């Protein structure tokens, strides 16, 4: 059995907000990943099943390897149709905010969402939730927003009513946010939930193939190039760094999501503690920073201190507005500053 995640008052608050709303926008952070898309789609399916008018809205495009997820054809992409989606946001009488903890994570959609005085609901697993939602469920100990959302839907509506589509979306987020149950995944209730999802008829092996055996030839070549040509390894810090310029992305016909997960690969090196990936953004003039770590090395502190970002202990990100060589130097400074934690004791 899994424990109830909500108090009676929280259940009442949730039900009142959903029941009173007639025009619901379900949204997530910019550059949605499997957890963000899984949560947005599962929540939308739940609302549709309840006869609600709900629209899944994302700030910008999501990766091709998530297009197979049930319901993606209904998803509106803000930065592709700003005017049309802007009208939708104005008309919303409830925003469901999933897998993000502060309005800035909506990036270009932030102003349009925050201009609305419609109530907002947050279900999220990042630390330090900002105060912009009327109803907040923030649990950083959850491995994914999808796990948290499973618990919410199971409590407010009953697992018996959950559909296979909803379970498929939620499983996708649980799988991707735990690296296929390889990190943050030692709690037994994760597997209790997966067991319940299998009883709903999800095809977990197919979900795995849909997400991870779905690469373009270019993506695989780009992975090889990054590892063979671009990776710098710093054994004294048990750390690695990879960089990718705009020109290199063009050369490999880079599409959104093509570099997803690549930052994890250098951690496969024996004894590794930290991996840093710098990528020139193709939409804005910034360098996106991704950090991944093992054990208790705090990526989120490093991201906040050096890269204008934040995140979780073992996965964090941020961005820099400078040329690539300066960004590399900042990474090296960061490693130096954290050397006490990185160096072998
Ligand atoms: P990724 O490396 O996949 O882009 O991001 C990993 C995690 O870092 C995200 O799940 C999120 O928690 C956090 N993160 C990424 N970018 C930013 C950012 O610009 N600001 C903050 N506060 N967190 C970020
Ligand atoms: Mn997540």
């Amino acid at each position: 059995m899994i424990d109830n995640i909500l108090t009676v008052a929280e259940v009442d608050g949730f039900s009142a907000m959903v029941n009173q709303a007639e025009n619901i926008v379900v949204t997530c952070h910019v550059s949605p990943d499997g957890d963000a898309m899984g949560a947005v789609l599962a929540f939308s399916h739940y609302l549709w099943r309840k006869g609600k008018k709900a629209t899944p809205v994302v700030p910008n495009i999501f990766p091709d390897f998530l297009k197979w997820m049930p319901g993606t054809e209904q998803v509106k992409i803000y930065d592709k149709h700003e005017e049309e989606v802007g009208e939708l946001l104005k008309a919303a009488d409830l925003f469901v905010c999933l897998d993000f903890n502060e309005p800035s994570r909506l990036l270009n959609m932030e102003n349009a969402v925050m201009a609305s005085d419609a109530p907002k609901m947050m279900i999220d697993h990042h630390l330090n939730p900002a105060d912009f939602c009327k109803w907040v469920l923030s649990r950083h100990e959850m491995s994914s927003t999808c796990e948290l959302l499973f618990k919410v839907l199971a409590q407010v509506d009953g697992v018996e009513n959950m559909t296979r589509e909803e379970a498929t979306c939620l499983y996708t987020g649980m799988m991707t946010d735990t690296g296929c149950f390889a990190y943050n995944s030692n709690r037994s209730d994760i597997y209790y939930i997966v067991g319940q999802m299998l009883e709903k008829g999800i095809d977990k092996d197919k979900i795995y193939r849909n997400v991870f055996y779905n690469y373009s030839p270019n993506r695989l070549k780009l992975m090889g190039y990054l590892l063979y040509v671009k990776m710098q390894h710093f054994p004294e810090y048990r750390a690695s760094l990879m960089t990718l310029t705009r020109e290199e992305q063009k050369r490999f016909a880079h599409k959104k999501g093509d570099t997803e997960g690549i930052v994890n690969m250098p951690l496969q090196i024996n004894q590794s503690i930290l991996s840093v990936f710098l990528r020139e953004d193709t939409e804005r003039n910034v360098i996106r920073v991704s950090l991944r770590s093992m054990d208790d090395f705090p990526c989120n502190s490093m991201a906040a201190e050096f890269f204008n970002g934040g995140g979780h202990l073992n996965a964090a990100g941020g961005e820099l507005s400078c040329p690539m060589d300066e960004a590399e130097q900042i990474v090296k400074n960061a490693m130096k500053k954290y050397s006490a934690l990185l160096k072998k004791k």
Side-chain angles (χ1 to χ4, degrees), residues 35 99 125 177:
D35 191 32
D99 202 34
H125 70 137
D177 255 25

PDB file of all heavy atoms in Angstrom, residues 35 99 125 177, ligand 2:
ATOM      1  N   ASP A  35       9.385  13.653 -17.947  1.00  0.00           N
ATOM      2  CA  ASP A  35       8.591  13.843 -16.726  1.00  0.00           C
ATOM      3  C   ASP A  35       7.578  14.970 -16.916  1.00  0.00           C
ATOM      4  O   ASP A  35       6.406  14.840 -16.531  1.00  0.00           O
ATOM      5  CB  ASP A  35       9.537  14.148 -15.553  1.00  0.00           C
ATOM      6  CG  ASP A  35       8.844  14.088 -14.210  1.00  0.00           C
ATOM      7  OD1 ASP A  35       7.892  13.282 -14.054  1.00  0.00           O
ATOM      8  OD2 ASP A  35       9.240  14.840 -13.302  1.00  0.00           O
ATOM      9  N   ASP A  99       5.834  20.063 -12.683  1.00  0.00           N
ATOM     10  CA  ASP A  99       7.274  19.836 -12.843  1.00  0.00           C
ATOM     11  C   ASP A  99       8.087  21.128 -12.932  1.00  0.00           C
ATOM     12  O   ASP A  99       9.133  21.144 -13.565  1.00  0.00           O
ATOM     13  CB  ASP A  99       7.544  18.931 -14.067  1.00  0.00           C
ATOM     14  CG  ASP A  99       8.897  18.230 -13.988  1.00  0.00           C
ATOM     15  OD1 ASP A  99       9.323  17.889 -12.871  1.00  0.00           O
ATOM     16  OD2 ASP A  99       9.541  18.035 -15.038  1.00  0.00           O
ATOM     17  N   HIS A 125       8.408  18.453  -7.890  1.00  0.00           N
ATOM     18  CA  HIS A 125       9.398  17.784  -7.019  1.00  0.00           C
ATOM     19  C   HIS A 125      10.734  18.534  -6.981  1.00  0.00           C
ATOM     20  O   HIS A 125      11.765  17.911  -6.722  1.00  0.00           O
ATOM     21  CB  HIS A 125       9.587  16.324  -7.450  1.00  0.00           C
ATOM     22  CG  HIS A 125      10.296  16.136  -8.748  1.00  0.00           C
ATOM     23  ND1 HIS A 125      11.259  15.178  -8.939  1.00  0.00           N
ATOM     24  CD2 HIS A 125      10.191  16.782  -9.934  1.00  0.00           C
ATOM     25  CE1 HIS A 125      11.706  15.233 -10.179  1.00  0.00           C
ATOM     26  NE2 HIS A 125      11.076  16.195 -10.805  1.00  0.00           N
ATOM     27  N   ASP A 177      12.932  10.242 -15.468  1.00  0.00           N
ATOM     28  CA  ASP A 177      13.530  11.042 -14.394  1.00  0.00           C
ATOM     29  C   ASP A 177      14.402  10.211 -13.441  1.00  0.00           C
ATOM     30  O   ASP A 177      15.109  10.781 -12.608  1.00  0.00           O
ATOM     31  CB  ASP A 177      12.462  11.803 -13.598  1.00  0.00           C
ATOM     32  CG  ASP A 177      12.464  13.290 -13.953  1.00  0.00           C
ATOM     33  OD1 ASP A 177      12.889  13.627 -15.069  1.00  0.00           O
ATOM     34  OD2 ASP A 177      12.057  14.126 -13.112  1.00  0.00           O
TER      35      ASP A 177
HETATM   36 MN1  LIG B   2      10.973  16.146 -13.188  1.00  0.00          MN
END
